[in-house]
């Protein structure tokens, strides 16, 4: 039988959360900061933090702003030795699983600006909005290790509603902040991303990166059920994808697979929806295929279903998304059709 592990979080991040809320060094039942705890344990820790007498609606935001490099495992030290914010963002995209397997960091570059997005891989209902705010504000804090304490992104967005007053968000993040947005994202000027640091140590950066690669390889040998399903979906024909495919690859019954995914806070339907979203974005960004050709490739019945689903995913129809992510080309004129706008 395949080994299936629930998504895990590094103990050093859990200790950093405790330290930021208790004002002490923090303590926990983990022998070493590099130990891993299951996502359910991390959720329970946040339950306790947010249930404390002095907790408030901005606790997560403030926890992230107080993060120190050691709280992000080797990724924190790697960020400190990056040559630019762009290098640091790409390091976060690759090595975030070393901090937590409960979400992904992705970098989306376009003309003039880029978005650094955080997306939970567990069921969003299983993650406190304040956990998401802690992660996003810690990413802004980590950027300031490179760019300076007075640096700020162009904008930050959260997919959940705002809790509490707006002032702490503006003060901590230093930029306009929106809520109920299509994604959790930090918008950064490419000029800021690409600005090279006058002093950095490429040899130390390479040493940290080599160590991070070894840890990442070790972590991937005990992939969670959700990660294995995501890997399977990455290469599957989505028009006829069903849970029987990954279940067979994992030597599990469909029922056992569904149970394993439920224990990790997600489901086959949620993972399939995420895979459809990702593939639709890639096809819109890299091909001139019309919507009625893209729809079956992502497992949807037609252009209308694609427009409806994509608007739910991105907050805009696919035609508008394509216009913003691909340069204009004469041979694409009219390719999207009226349904895409």
């Amino acid at each position: 039988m395949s080994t299936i592990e629930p998504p895990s979080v590094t103990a050093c991040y859990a200790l950093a959360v405790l330290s930021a809320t208790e004002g002490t060094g923090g303590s926990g039942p983990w022998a070493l900061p590099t130990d891993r705890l299951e996502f359910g344990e991390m959720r329970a820790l946040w339950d306790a933090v947010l249930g404390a007498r002095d907790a408030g609606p901005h606790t997560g935001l403030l926890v992230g702003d107080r993060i120190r490099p050691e709280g992000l495992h080797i990724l924190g030290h790697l960020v400190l030795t990056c040559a630019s914010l762009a290098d640091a963002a790409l390091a976060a995209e690759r090595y975030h699983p070393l901090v937590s397997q409960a979400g992904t960091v992705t970098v989306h570059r376009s003309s003039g600006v880029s978005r650094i997005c955080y997306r939970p891989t567990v069921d969003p209902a299983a993650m406190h909005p304040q956990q998401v705010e802690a992660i996003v504000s810690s990413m802004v804090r980590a950027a300031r290790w490179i760019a300076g304490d007075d640096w700020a992104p162009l904008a930050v967005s959260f997919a959940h509603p705002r809790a509490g007053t707006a002032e702490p968000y503006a003060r901590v993040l230093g930029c306009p902040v929106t809520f109920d947005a299509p994604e959790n994202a930090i918008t950064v000027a490419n000029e800021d991303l690409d600005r090279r640091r006058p002093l950095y140590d490429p040899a130390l950066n390479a040493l940290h990166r080599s160590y991070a690669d070894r840890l990442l390889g070790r972590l991937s040998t005990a992939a969670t059920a959700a990660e294995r399903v995501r890997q399977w979906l990455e290469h599957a024909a989505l028009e006829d994808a069903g849970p029987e495919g990954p279940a067979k690859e994992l030597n599990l019954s469909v029922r056992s697979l569904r149970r394993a995914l439920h224990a990790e806070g997600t489901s086959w339907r949620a993972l399939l929806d995420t895979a459809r979203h990702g593939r639709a974005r890639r096809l819109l960004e890299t091909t001139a295929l019309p919507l009625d050709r893209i729809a079956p490739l992502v497992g949807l019945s037609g252009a209308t279903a694609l427009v409806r689903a994509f608007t739910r995913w991105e907050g805009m129809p696919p035609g508008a998304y394509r216009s913003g992510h691909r340069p204009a080309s004469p041979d694409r004129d009219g390719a999207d059709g009226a349904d895409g706008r």
Side-chain angles (χ1 to χ4, degrees):
M1 297 287 281
S2 296
T3 299
I4 296 177
E5 302 286 345
S8 64
V9 180
T10 187
C12 59
Y13 182 72
L15 291 168
V17 171
L18 290 174
S19 177
T21 53
E22 296 176 358
T24 66
S27 61
W30 315 289
L32 296 170
T34 51
D35 286 348
R36 310 284 300 187
L37 59 150
E38 294 183 5
F39 173 73
E41 296 177 77
M42 192 67 196
R43 165 68 191 229
L45 185 152
W46 272 102
D47 286 340
V49 164
L50 298 176
R53 183 182 306 174
D54 58 349
H58 306 107
T59 294
L61 180 76
L62 299 175
V63 164
D65 189 49
R66 294 167 185 160
I67 203 76
R68 296 174 60 84
E70 59 269 21
L72 299 181
H73 202 290
I74 186 62
L75 175 58
H77 300 287
L78 177 56
V79 165
L80 285 174
T81 61
C82 282
S84 65
L85 285 180
D87 288 349
L90 292 174
E93 185 175 50
R94 175 170 175 78
Y95 298 111
H96 181 75
L98 294 177
V99 181
S100 172
Q101 294 173 301
T104 59
V105 174
T106 53
V107 181
H108 305 277
R109 192 172 182 111
S110 57
S111 178
V113 300
S114 294
R115 297 179 349 271
I116 304 167
C117 302
Y118 175 76
R119 190 185 302 272
T121 52
V122 298
D123 185 337
M127 184 177 285
H128 282 294
Q130 293 211 41
Q131 287 179 260
V132 175
E133 293 185 6
I135 291 162
V136 171
S137 64
S138 73
M139 291 164 64
V140 173
R141 171 51 55 194
R144 288 173 175 151
W145 299 337
I146 296 176
D149 286 340
D150 59 347
W151 178 85
L154 296 176
V156 168
S157 63
F158 293 106
H160 55 262
R162 193 186 81 200
T165 60
E167 187 277 332
Y169 293 98
R171 173 168 45 83
V172 170
L173 300 172
C175 65
V177 182
T178 57
F179 297 84
D180 290 313
E183 61 188 356
N184 306 301
I186 302 167
T187 302
V188 183
N190 287 345
E191 181 181 7
D192 285 354
L193 276 183
D194 296 333
R195 186 177 297 114
R196 306 283 287 186
R197 300 176 73 185
L199 296 174
Y200 77 100
D201 190 335
L204 186 57
N205 179 267
L207 184 65
H208 287 326
R209 193 175 296 271
S210 176
Y211 179 52
D213 281 330
R214 289 200 302 274
L215 293 178
L216 195 63
R218 198 178 305 161
L219 186 64
S220 66
T221 62
T224 65
E227 287 172 337
R228 298 286 291 276
V229 170
R230 277 191 289 272
Q231 291 167 9
W232 186 88
L233 284 166
E234 186 70 22
H235 306 287
L238 297 183
E239 56 266 40
D240 56 4
E244 300 81 8
K248 182 178 180 181
E249 185 170 296
L250 293 172
N251 296 317
L252 296 172
S253 68
V254 171
R255 185 176 179 183
S256 295
L257 176 62
R258 290 187 187 278
R259 278 202 305 265
L261 294 176
H262 179 74
E264 294 173 15
T266 188
S267 66
W268 163 256
R269 180 176 296 181
L271 294 172
L272 178 61
D273 190 63
T274 298
R276 286 172 170 165
H277 179 194
R279 191 165 301 183
R281 279 172 44 168
R282 287 195 296 273
L283 289 169
L284 288 167
E285 291 172 5
T286 62
T287 78
L289 290 172
L291 300 189
D292 59 358
R293 292 275 304 281
I294 291 176
L297 296 177
V298 300
L300 296 173
S301 59
T304 300
L306 176 60
V307 171
R308 187 164 53 246
F310 200 85
T311 302
R312 171 170 57 84
W313 293 325
E314 290 286 336
M316 67 177 73
Y321 181 88
R322 172 176 267 169
S323 296
H325 288 77
R326 298 187 63 211
S329 175
D331 62 0
R332 279 181 27 239
D333 286 348
D336 289 328
D339 283 342
R341 297 290 172 182

